[in-house]
Amino acid sequence: MKRYQGNILLIELLIVILFFSLSQVVMVRVFASAHQKSHDSVQLRHALMACEDIAEQLSVSEDPDLLLMQLDFTGEDGSYFRCDEHGFDLYVQHHREETEAGTLLSSTVTAQKDEAEILSLPVSLYVPKEGAL
């Protein structure tokens, strides 16, 4: 009879060890997922700050080509690129539209990581001609 009780105790111990092992696996996955989400949100915050900074400067600059060259972008003809130190790439596309009353400068600042767009900000600046209403 005592041998039978010993087997039940061993089975109970195995069930408890199995339960704790499965709990540990689940918790490791949860913490790994939380760490990855935290890393992604930090990268998104850096991308947003970089795009906002460039967009603010473009919104007051009448010569976006010169400004982008000063900000270490490479490219020409309205298409510029810069690799950021936080692991994403910044792209700026800008277009100049001349009218009788002035010039409309429109740009799009885009942050990408691994060919996937993280975010995109549009920017516009209207520069009236002198004497135009």
Side-chain angles (χ1 to χ4, degrees):
M1 198 86 160
K2 288 190 175 205
R3 182 180 169 112
Y4 180 71
Q5 287 177 347
N7 289 340
I8 291 177
L9 179 64
L10 287 175
I11 291 173
E12 287 177 359
L13 280 172
L14 284 174
I15 291 173
V16 168
I17 290 172
L18 178 66
F19 173 76
F20 283 118
S21 298
L22 290 175
S23 298
Q24 179 185 8
V25 168
V26 169
M27 292 306 294
V28 166
R29 291 188 67 175
V30 166
F31 282 118
S33 174
H35 176 72
Q36 183 62 38
K37 287 187 187 290
S38 173
H39 176 73
D40 291 346
S41 70
V42 166
Q43 190 171 45
L44 178 62
R45 185 186 59 191
H46 285 295
L48 180 62
M49 289 187 331
C51 286
E52 283 180 339
D53 182 42
I54 293 165
E56 286 177 5
Q57 292 182 45
L58 284 171
S59 69
V60 296
S61 174
E62 293 183 14
D63 189 2
D65 296 315
L66 178 63
L67 173 69
L68 292 170
M69 290 299 179
Q70 290 172 348
L71 293 173
D72 296 329
F73 277 82
T74 57
E76 56 187 32
D77 298 332
S79 182
Y80 294 89
F81 165 78
R82 181 178 82 182
C83 186
D84 198 79
E85 67 269 5
H86 294 290
F88 53 88
D89 301 325
L90 294 172
Y91 294 91
V92 176
Q93 298 282 335
H94 74 84
H95 176 70
R96 179 182 302 264
E97 184 179 329
E98 299 284 339
T99 64
E100 292 179 17
T103 305
L104 178 64
L105 303 170
S106 22
S107 303
T108 304
V109 182
T110 305
Q112 291 184 351
K113 176 171 175 74
D114 300 328
E115 303 297 322
E117 183 176 305
I118 299 174
L119 65 96
S120 182
L121 293 175
V123 182
S124 294
L125 172 67
Y126 181 72
V127 182
K129 288 185 180 174
E130 289 188 28
L133 294 177

